[in-house]
């Protein structure tokens, strides 16, 4: 089989036509010594995909093929690749390159590389004019550092969403000390949040799901939640004052969000980490709101290679899997995915599958 | 000498008359087994005093005697007191009681006690109707946990401001890891900020003072700053992107404060800790502003006993002293202090002295 120099995939041309996916061929970046070519088998549908192509996060480089929760086979590895073997089943998440040489990259913060950060889609490869294209496509070409071997026991369609949504929850959990003796809250039970509950529990923390209504309580408990808070109920914060060590805020919208009440539940120097990126305006914060418990507010950007490997191993060890509805890759399936994501009609992740049928 | 049941001090009656200090007697709280009576020798003038009596922080319990950077002599100790000896020179800061028994108190977070936190002035002692009164007075009565022996080598008038301003800078520095190999910024060179520069340097950090103009650069360097940033200069943040581990924000106003630029200077998971409490509205923060470096934003509330003792020892070991202008305690001196504080005409702290002359 000849190596691909092009991939075939589904692109969107503008925010006005974001459910109209056109099948096209596009050039891959030039093959580098550390690159891995991956034939894709499955790809999760991330909230980022919808925000990006529907214009919610501002202007983007169209035409664009999104998708960054990729599982596939390594069909070719560059001459200097040591981390991945040809034929291995692998994953790629939201990031596809970091410089490898800056202070951040050397500190295990390559997910915050400030020199050359290439997203799996929508970033320009220097000196090529090529815009990276994501996983609603036949192939991706990725630097080995950002390609992850998938443990044998994990099913492609169920593990795919871990590559972005899972890692986005996992990294801030471990970086902020989630584990035995810690009380962890997960706000918003969507794609990221359902992994948040699963991983917080798997890491040994006392885990609380925090959602608007009780509609998702049964699911949350199946995912491993020890407790459940419904913020539509009067006085919901009262019995948790100054008690949470870590809250991962996965909420996808900041409308009607009473941050002060949430923060009142944090223990001294607790960490309130946002991983959702709502499209609305932010919230007014005064030092006065943070001083009674010295809470720290932050945000988190996916995770590093080491954390990705640990997360996948944890999932394999504990038999964790995403709650996934499969859709056939193609214009129809992607249109359905985007429309239902926009409505929040997903429990809790779509994975596009059937790549063999669509891409010869 | 009979023990005092009352103290004599200078009270303000309302925000409208906040420079009109009336000399009056008022009852001390009932003497408890762990209490220490202190005859006051000196008291620093804190920004909190001005915010409180001029109404900037909202309604208060008037009439009120403020002042919470107190140095004096222990003239009586309760039967169960073990931490303080009669005759010892001691200090009292902004906090005068914590329950001693809750999770926070047992974790070294008694400065965040949620059960019974009594401020040195303006708090009501339970079941007494007595409002705590501060250090512009002859005596205070304080639980031994919140009374600190003062090392012999430190002068009363120069150490007084450390009890609130100094500790307010010192605690977040040590809690966030200021020390060798760390780059620390101190925003705002006022009462707190001048101690921030001094302590950050004494702790071994690379220390930068950050101020609007260059007017305070010479002072900052005398205080120990390795570098100086003037935010009135175009592009001031550019050469510091992603480099600060810790910034203590001591700014007393948030007007015209371009938080995004400041945050762009923070290293990955750097800590931006506010200790000033501006009277204005806060700032709009979106997760998007925090995600490129995963910076953590927080605030800090004074410090605990252990930190106070360590700070005083550090000051004694390194010969550190507040930059102080002395004013005679009394209606006139306090009026001058408040008027000049309001204008920012102080470099960098007033200490009220001459207590012997005013209080027989």
């Amino acid at each position: 089989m000849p190596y691909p120099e092009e991939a075939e995939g589904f692109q969107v041309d503008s925010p006005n036509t974001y459910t109209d996916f056109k099948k096209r061929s596009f050039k891959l970046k030039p093959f580098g010594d550390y690159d891995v070519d991956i034939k894709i088998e499955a790809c999760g549908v991330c909230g980022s995909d919808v925000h990006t192509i529907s214009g919610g996060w501002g202007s983007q480089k169209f035409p664009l093929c999104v998708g960054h929760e990729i599982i596939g086979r390594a069909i070719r590895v560059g001459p200097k690749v040591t981390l991945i073997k040809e034929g291995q089943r692998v994953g790629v998440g939201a990031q596809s390159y970091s410089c490898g040489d800056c202070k951040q990259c050397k500190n295990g913060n390559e997910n915050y590389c400030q020199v050359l950060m290439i997203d799996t889609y929508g970033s320009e490869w220097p000196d090529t004019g090529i815009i990276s294209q994501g996983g609603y496509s036949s192939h991706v070409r990725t630097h080995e550092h950002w390609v992850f071997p998938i443990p044998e026991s994990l099913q492609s369609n169920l593990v795919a969403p871990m590559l972005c949504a899972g890692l986005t929850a996992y990294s801030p959990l471990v970086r902020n000390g989630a584990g035995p003796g810690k009380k962890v809250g997960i706000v918003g039970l969507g794609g990221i949040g359902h992994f948040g509950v699963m991983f917080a529990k798997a890491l040994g923390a006392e885990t609380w799901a925090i959602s608007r209504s009780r509609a998702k309580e049964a699911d949350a408990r199946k995912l491993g939640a020890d407790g459940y808070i419904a913020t539509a109920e009067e006085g919901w914060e009262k019995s948790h004052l100054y008690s949470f060590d870590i809250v991962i805020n996965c909420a996808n919208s900041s409308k009607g969000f009473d941050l002060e009440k949430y923060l009142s539940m944090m223990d001294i120097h607790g960490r309130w980490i946002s991983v959702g990126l709502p499209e609305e305006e932010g919230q007014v914060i005064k030092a006065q709101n943070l001083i009674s418990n010295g809470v720290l507010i932050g945000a988190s950007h996916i995770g590093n290679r080491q954390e990705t490997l640990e997360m996948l191993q944890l999932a394999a060890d504990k038999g964790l899997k995403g709650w996934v509805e499969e859709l056939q890759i193609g214009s129809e399936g992607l249109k359905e995915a985007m429309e239902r994501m926009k409505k929040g009609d997903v429990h809790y992740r779509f994975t596009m599958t059937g790549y063999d049928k669509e891409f010869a």
Side-chain angles (χ1 to χ4, degrees), chain A:
Chain A
M1 190 170 74
Y3 298 130
E5 283 316 310
E6 295 202 328
E8 212 180 6
F10 291 89
Q11 290 186 319
V12 163
D13 289 333
S14 79
N16 299 326
T17 58
Y18 79 93
T19 60
D20 186 9
F21 288 84
K22 309 262 200 220
K23 191 172 184 179
R24 296 197 184 112
S25 289
F26 39 76
K27 268 179 92 167
L28 296 170
K29 74 178 276 291
F31 192 75
D33 287 351
Y34 293 96
D35 280 346
V36 179
D37 277 351
I38 298 159
K39 184 170 187 306
I40 302 176
E41 292 177 6
C43 184
V45 177
C46 182
S48 306
D49 302 349
V50 190
H51 288 297
T52 298
I53 60 180
S54 67
W57 284 350
S59 67
Q60 306 288 338
K61 298 179 177 103
F62 290 103
L64 188 63
C65 172
V66 295
H68 60 204
E69 298 180 333
I70 297 168
I71 303 288
R73 288 278 158 193
I75 57 168
R76 178 191 186 191
V77 303
K80 295 190 174 163
V81 165
T82 60
L83 302 173
I84 303 294
K85 291 188 176 49
E86 200 183 303
Q88 208 169 17
R89 189 171 57 134
V90 296
V92 171
Q95 187 171 351
S96 282
Y97 194 78
S98 46
C99 83
D101 206 37
C102 68
K103 178 180 171 190
Q104 331 304 353
C105 283
K106 289 182 167 159
N107 276 344
N109 285 320
E110 66 266 34
N111 50 319
Y112 294 95
C113 173
Q114 303 298 338
V115 176
L116 184 56
M117 161 103 70
I118 300 280
D119 294 329
T120 295
Y121 57 76
S123 288
E124 184 171 343
W125 285 102
D127 308 320
T128 64
I130 292 175
I131 306 299
S132 60
Q133 304 287 321
Y136 301 153
S137 68
S138 60
H139 300 83
V140 283
R141 176 168 289 168
T142 309
H143 188 283
E144 62 168 345
H145 187 87
W146 293 100
V147 180
F148 314 105
I150 303 295
E152 207 52 51
S153 64
L154 301 175
Q155 280 182 52
S156 293
N157 58 334
L158 307 184
V159 70
M162 285 188 198
L163 273 301
C164 178
L167 184 60
T168 295
Y170 182 83
S171 172
L173 283 170
V174 295
R175 289 188 183 208
N176 293 288
K182 296 296 173 80
K183 182 172 175 182
V184 172
I186 304 292
V187 175
L189 213 64
I192 302 172
H194 95 292
F195 282 121
V197 171
M198 205 183 284
F199 289 141
K201 183 65 182 175
L203 289 164
E206 178 188 333
T207 302
W208 288 73
I210 306 173
S211 185
R212 214 162 287 253
S213 75
R214 297 247 159 222
K216 294 179 177 172
E217 180 164 7
D219 284 357
R221 293 196 183 267
K222 263 191 240 168
L223 287 161
D226 299 295
Y228 190 93
I229 299 172
T231 62
E233 295 169 6
E234 189 63 27
W236 54 274
E237 80 283 13
K238 298 287 186 222
S239 53
H240 297 279
L241 298 179
Y242 302 102
S243 70
F244 279 94
D245 297 289
I246 305 159
V247 170
I248 308 297
N249 173 24
C250 311
N252 202 21
S253 164
S254 56
K255 271 184 197 143
F257 202 86
D258 189 346
L259 185 60
E260 237 180 291
K261 276 192 189 167
Y262 285 89
L263 295 183
S264 74
M265 299 197 302
M266 304 305 295
D267 196 5
I268 311 311
H269 305 320
R271 310 291 184 88
W272 172 272
I273 309 293
S274 288
V275 296
L277 292 176
E279 297 178 1
E280 302 92 5
E281 263 313 298
Q283 298 187 285
V284 175
I285 295 184
K286 301 182 71 165
Q288 279 86 336
N289 304 148
L290 311 176
I291 204 169
S292 75
N293 51 9
V295 60
L296 291 157
I297 293 184
S300 173
H301 181 244
I302 47 175
N304 67 21
R305 178 178 178 85
Q306 186 59 32
E307 288 157 355
T308 311
L309 298 176
E310 285 168 11
M311 171 191 70
L312 293 169
Q313 195 54 52
L314 181 71
D317 292 346
K318 304 234 172 188
L320 307 177
K321 42 191 97 164
W323 288 22
V324 161
E325 179 177 344
E326 291 182 47
L327 292 171
Q328 171 63 46
I329 183 74
S331 302
E332 280 312 299
L334 287 168
K335 182 171 197 283
E336 178 181 345
M338 296 305 146
E339 285 172 351
R340 289 180 54 195
M341 287 285 281
K342 204 69 167 176
K343 288 189 292 191
D345 174 22
V346 52
H347 297 84
Y348 287 89
R349 208 62 162 179
F350 296 121
T351 298
M352 308 310 297
T353 56
Y355 276 63
D356 273 348
K357 277 187 233 164
E358 184 65 35
F359 301 109

